[in-house]
Amino acid sequence: TNHLDHLPVKYIRVNLHFMNSADSSANFTQPEADSVAHRIMYYANAGLERNMKMFLPLGNDTPVLPVRYRYRLTGRPGVPGDKGVYCHFDDSMFYYIHKGPGQNLYDRRPVRTYGVQLDTVLNIFLMPNRPEGDDPPEPTMPVGVALGNAIKIGGIGPAPHPPWNYKGVINHEVGHIYGLRHAWHTNDGCADTPPNPNCWNFTHDG
C-alpha cells in the first residue's frame, strides 16, 4: 500500500443487458435503461473504491486493502451510439429463477443469443424474477450466477430495488469470474477470505 503506483488501477470492460418481456412491461427500456445502467456501474465501482472491513468472522483482523480494478461500460467499436447497454424483448428467456421448479440460473441461452463481444467484454444480464404469481417466491434480494464470460443477475426491474442495491451481487459474481470461490466452512486458499458460515452479517447472538 506504500507503492500503489506499482499496481495501477485496471479496468474491466463490461456491458449490461436488460432482459424484458415481449410487451416491454417486465424491465427497463431505453433510454431509462441507459441511465439505470450508469447508476448501477457507479455504485458497483463505489463499492470497490470504498472497500470496507469484513463483518465476519467476528473479530477478524483481515487488512482492508485498496481494490485496484474498476468497471467501464464498453460498447461495440465502430457502432455509433453504442453505449454498451442493450434491451432485449423475449418471452422465452427474459426471467430468472434462482431455485425450485424451473430454475434456470445456469441456462446460457440468453448469453448465446444476446451476448456482445463475449471474447473481450464481460456481459452482465439483468433479469426480472419469474413471472408474477409463480411459486415458490424468489429471493427478495438480488441474486446472481457467474457463467465464465457472463453474469446473470435476478431481481432487476422497474420496482424491486434501487441501483445501489446491485453493487454487492455484481462485485461478488465478478470475484467468481476471476477465480475466487466461496469460503463457506472451507478454506479457499486465500488468507484474506477466511472460512465463514455463509452469513452476510452478525447479530447480537454472534
Side-chain angles (χ1 to χ4, degrees):
T1 57
N2 291 331
H3 296 281
L4 290 181
D5 53 311
H6 295 177
L7 189 66
V9 173
K10 304 287 187 179
Y11 288 90
I12 300 172
R13 292 181 290 183
V14 303
N15 56 39
L16 270 65
H17 300 259
F18 289 82
M19 298 299 294
N20 207 334
S21 55
D23 66 4
S24 75
S25 66
N27 209 338
F28 298 105
T29 59
Q30 284 160 330
E32 190 174 15
D34 294 331
S35 174
V36 172
H38 280 86
R39 282 183 283 159
I40 288 174
M41 287 291 95
Y42 169 82
Y43 288 112
N45 277 324
L48 299 175
E49 184 174 355
R50 303 165 190 168
N51 190 25
M52 298 174 61
K53 182 176 176 59
M54 296 190 300
F55 297 140
L56 298 174
L58 282 176
N60 79 85
D61 58 358
T62 307
V64 182
L65 301 175
V67 178
R68 304 299 283 166
Y69 66 88
R70 301 290 186 271
Y71 309 118
R72 178 174 288 163
L73 277 172
T74 303
R76 292 165 293 185
V79 180
D82 191 330
K83 303 175 182 178
V85 181
Y86 311 103
C87 296
H88 311 294
F89 307 90
D90 190 326
D91 281 340
S92 69
M93 63 179 85
F94 75 89
Y95 54 89
Y96 179 102
I97 304 175
H98 193 68
K99 61 175 63 175
Q103 70 174 25
N104 64 358
L105 65 164
Y106 296 113
D107 183 355
R108 291 184 57 88
R109 287 184 302 153
V111 179
R112 291 195 301 266
T113 305
Y114 298 112
V116 176
Q117 299 189 89
L118 288 167
D119 58 339
T120 54
V121 179
L122 178 60
N123 285 233
I124 302 176
F125 289 78
L126 305 170
M127 309 174 72
N129 283 342
R130 69 172 72 233
E132 187 177 356
D134 284 1
D135 290 321
E138 284 293 286
T140 57
M141 294 295 290
V143 291
V145 62
L147 298 172
N149 55 0
I151 294 169
K152 290 169 62 175
I153 294 176
I156 192 72
H161 303 283
W164 60 263
N165 217 14
Y166 294 92
K167 69 179 186 295
V169 68
I170 288 175
N171 292 339
H172 177 103
E173 298 303 336
V174 169
H176 288 318
I177 291 290
Y178 287 99
L180 288 175
R181 303 191 305 271
H182 290 142
W184 298 337
H185 304 291
T186 61
N187 190 328
D188 66 352
C190 298
D192 59 352
T193 51
N196 67 83
N198 190 17
C199 298
W200 72 274
N201 206 338
F202 56 85
T203 69
H204 65 278
D205 296 322

